[in-house]
Amino acid sequence: MTTLLYDASFDGLFTAIFEVFEYRYKEVEIVNKERFHQENIFAEIHEVITQNDKAERVLNKLEQNIGQSGIHELLKVYLSEDPESEHLILSAVKQSIKHPDENILQNFADNDILKISKICKSVSRERHRMTAFVRFEKMQDGVFFAKIDPDFDVLPLIRKHFKDRYQDQKWMIYDLRRNYGILYDLENCDFFYPDKKLDLKQYQQKFHDDENNYQTLWQRYFTKTNIVERKNLKLHVQHVPKRYWKYLTEKQ
């Protein structure tokens, strides 16, 4: 067994996949360096150096076989952070090369493809919920800030949605679990990677006065319009699961 260690990036993963074919590895596993723990001291370790040209060659071939939509599905698998994600993506690439004229991502008789489908559905649900439940809060510098803590790394999947929807104001979305975010400054919409994790106490101290007033008014409105006799908590939780309540002003 040969273990290929890569740098956890999408291009790094596809560089590793290229080298599986380049070096004709048969028994192989691809592992994120950050998650690697060597148990077999006799295992052969191959450290992958990310090379965009190699990654592009694999992606171009994939696009010919499964299209952009297929690549997008594999991106969801990568962003799922599932422990099997590298294996599943490598399996899909191998199958697409072996059967270039087939839509291999529809072959649910294959266990790996079935797992890919299930993961993609879960990631897509999380993406949809993030677009629905993200709440922006106005900061002292006028930037609208939102914090999220999704089960999957969906920031790259919601970037376009928020860029298209909020083009007339500066905003940031920050992933608490993964310590990175998106910043839109009216011109560019880029990822940012702070050195330290967000301090929630300091963060709340930087609220704009308007934000504190707005939150108070919104909570009062929500309380006043909530008809106790029609309360159906079971139905409410089906539509707004409890794990998303921490994003909602009206639930604070």
Side-chain angles (χ1 to χ4, degrees), residues 155 172-175 179-183 190-194:
L155 264 184
M172 300 169 67
I173 303 176
Y174 173 77
D175 187 327
N179 190 36
Y180 85 107
I182 307 171
L183 169 64
D190 297 318
F191 294 106
F192 67 92
Y193 303 86

Side-chain angles (χ1 to χ4, degrees), residues 216-228:
T216 300
L217 287 172
W218 179 245
Q219 288 162 354
R220 288 176 181 171
Y221 171 80
F222 184 79
T223 301
K224 294 291 184 181
T225 57
N226 187 23
I227 302 174
V228 178

Side-chain angles (χ1 to χ4, degrees), residues 37 59 86 93 139 163 175 212 224 226:
H37 300 286
L59 290 168
E86 292 90 357
V93 172
M139 310 306 287
K163 181 183 178 183
D175 187 327
N212 291 316
K224 294 291 184 181
N226 187 23

Side-chain angles (χ1 to χ4, degrees), residues 17-224:
I17 291 173
F18 180 93
E19 293 185 357
V20 169
F21 293 95
E22 182 181 19
Y23 297 113
R24 301 179 184 274
Y25 290 129
K26 299 299 181 184
E27 297 294 324
V28 65
E29 62 175 351
I30 302 174
V31 181
N32 177 342
K33 286 181 185 178
E34 298 171 1
R35 296 202 302 259
F36 178 64
H37 300 286
Q38 186 168 356
E39 297 176 356
N40 181 359
I41 62 174
F42 299 106
E44 181 183 347
I45 306 298
H46 174 88
E47 190 157 344
V48 175
I49 298 174
T50 299
Q51 298 179 53
N52 293 339
D53 59 330
K54 287 186 175 181
E56 281 296 319
R57 287 177 65 178
V58 179
L59 290 168
N60 289 338
K61 184 65 176 178
L62 269 178
E63 185 175 359
Q64 293 175 18
N65 295 350
I66 63 175
Q68 279 286 348
S69 60
I71 292 176
H72 192 67
E73 294 297 280
L74 296 186
L75 173 62
K76 291 178 186 176
V77 176
Y78 165 76
L79 295 174
S80 74
E81 301 170 327
D82 188 281
E84 290 190 277
S85 60
E86 292 90 357
H87 163 76
L88 295 173
I89 293 172
L90 176 60
S91 176
V93 172
K94 286 181 175 179
Q95 292 188 52
S96 74
I97 291 174
K98 187 176 181 180
H99 306 287
D101 298 324
E102 298 177 20
N103 188 350
I104 58 101
L105 292 180
Q106 297 297 317
N107 180 23
F108 303 126
D110 181 271
N111 286 333
D112 288 344
I113 300 303
L114 183 60
K115 288 179 183 178
I116 286 173
S117 176
K118 290 179 178 178
I119 289 173
C120 287
K121 288 178 181 177
S122 296
V123 173
S124 293
R125 279 196 298 268
E126 188 77 337
R127 176 206 171 276
H128 175 72
R129 284 169 171 168
M130 284 298 104
T131 60
F133 299 138
V134 164
R135 293 292 186 270
F136 286 98
E137 296 166 316
K138 189 176 183 180
M139 310 306 287
Q140 292 173 3
D141 59 4
V143 174
F144 288 85
F145 188 93
K147 54 189 185 297
I148 63 174
D149 185 19
D151 285 348
F152 310 113
D153 184 11
V154 296
L155 264 184
L157 301 178
I158 65 176
R159 177 184 179 185
K160 184 178 186 301
H161 169 85
F162 286 99
K163 181 183 178 183
D164 292 345
R165 187 169 183 179
Y166 300 110
Q167 296 183 10
D168 60 345
Q169 61 194 37
K170 296 179 180 180
W171 53 262
M172 300 169 67
I173 303 176
Y174 173 77
D175 187 327
L176 292 165
R177 187 177 307 188
R178 298 164 186 87
N179 190 36
Y180 85 107
I182 307 171
L183 169 64
Y184 176 68
D185 62 3
L186 300 182
E187 294 183 2
N188 302 304
C189 187
D190 297 318
F191 294 106
F192 67 92
Y193 303 86
D195 294 331
K196 297 181 181 179
K197 290 189 175 182
L198 177 70
D199 186 319
L200 291 177
K201 289 184 179 180
Q202 291 184 0
Y203 155 75
Q204 291 177 340
Q205 292 172 0
K206 295 180 180 179
F207 278 173
H208 194 283
D209 289 342
D210 290 347
E211 178 60 32
N212 291 316
N213 294 335
Y214 164 77
Q215 291 194 11
T216 300
L217 287 172
W218 179 245
Q219 288 162 354
R220 288 176 181 171
Y221 171 80
F222 184 79
T223 301
K224 294 291 184 181

